[in-house]
Amino acid sequence: MNAIKQACKTVSDLWSLVVGLRVTGKYFLEPQRTVRYPWKALANTDTYKGHLELVGSPKDPFKPRCISCGMCALACPSNCLTVVKRKAPKPTPEEEKALAEAKANGEKPKDKTPKDPEKLIYDYSLCSLCGTCMENCPAGALRFSRNIYMAGYSRNDFLFDLVVKLRECDAGAPAQTAAHAAEKSEA
């Protein structure tokens, strides 16, 4: 009786081995999905979601579309965004007189504070890339970047001021285009 149980266990073990080899063999014969990066170019970068970046306004690409409402920072579950609003400019003596006259007449003076933020601090090391900040932004001022080559040595390398980053990216884009045009004309 013991020999029959041993034979049944051996057949059962061999059957599980055959099933496992069938699964392994199926995936072994499929084409390779892993890209060996430096030797082969990546083709699936269209769906990549990188760190957040500000969207420039349509009229001036160096000025962010952001209106400093702070909804992105309030909605962020990771608390990785901080909006620093601009301060109102100091009025000239003529403007102070006009404001005093407007208050005396019962008129509400127009606010001259710029709407764009002074700073928008973003800590990518805390971000969960959930997109809640983008969904809650009334101005549509945030988007995911397509930068797949970002790397750093410390957490401070992933702490960004998005306003400065917008100005650097937009300022660098025309220079890159001019550099490429110069290279092509030399060749």
Side-chain angles (χ1 to χ4, degrees), residues 38-152:
W39 298 282
K40 192 173 181 183
L42 298 172
N44 61 346
T45 59
D46 301 340
T47 59
Y48 179 76
K49 290 182 184 177
H51 61 85
L52 289 177
E53 63 184 10
L54 278 173
V55 177
S57 67
K59 294 178 183 175
D60 184 11
F62 299 108
K63 184 179 176 187
R65 194 183 286 180
C66 180
I67 57 173
S68 301
C69 65
M71 291 300 296
C72 55
L74 288 173
C76 181
S78 304
N79 293 324
C80 62
L81 289 168
T82 306
V83 180
V84 179
K85 296 182 178 183
R86 287 194 187 276
K87 294 183 173 94
K90 190 132 180 134
T92 61
E94 296 87 26
E95 290 174 340
E96 285 180 4
K97 288 179 185 177
L99 287 172
E101 289 176 12
K103 284 182 182 178
N105 294 338
E107 297 174 11
K108 186 176 179 182
K110 186 175 179 183
D111 184 20
K112 300 216 177 196
T113 307
K115 298 293 182 194
D116 61 318
E118 183 176 340
K119 292 181 180 180
L120 193 107
I121 308 298
Y122 173 58
D123 191 353
Y124 185 43
S125 64
L126 297 177
C127 185
S128 60
L129 298 172
C130 64
T132 307
C133 54
M134 291 187 313
E135 292 172 2
N136 287 297
C137 181
L142 293 170
R143 68 178 172 211
F144 287 121
S145 75
R146 302 268 187 231
N147 183 6
I148 61 174
Y149 300 109
M150 186 170 62

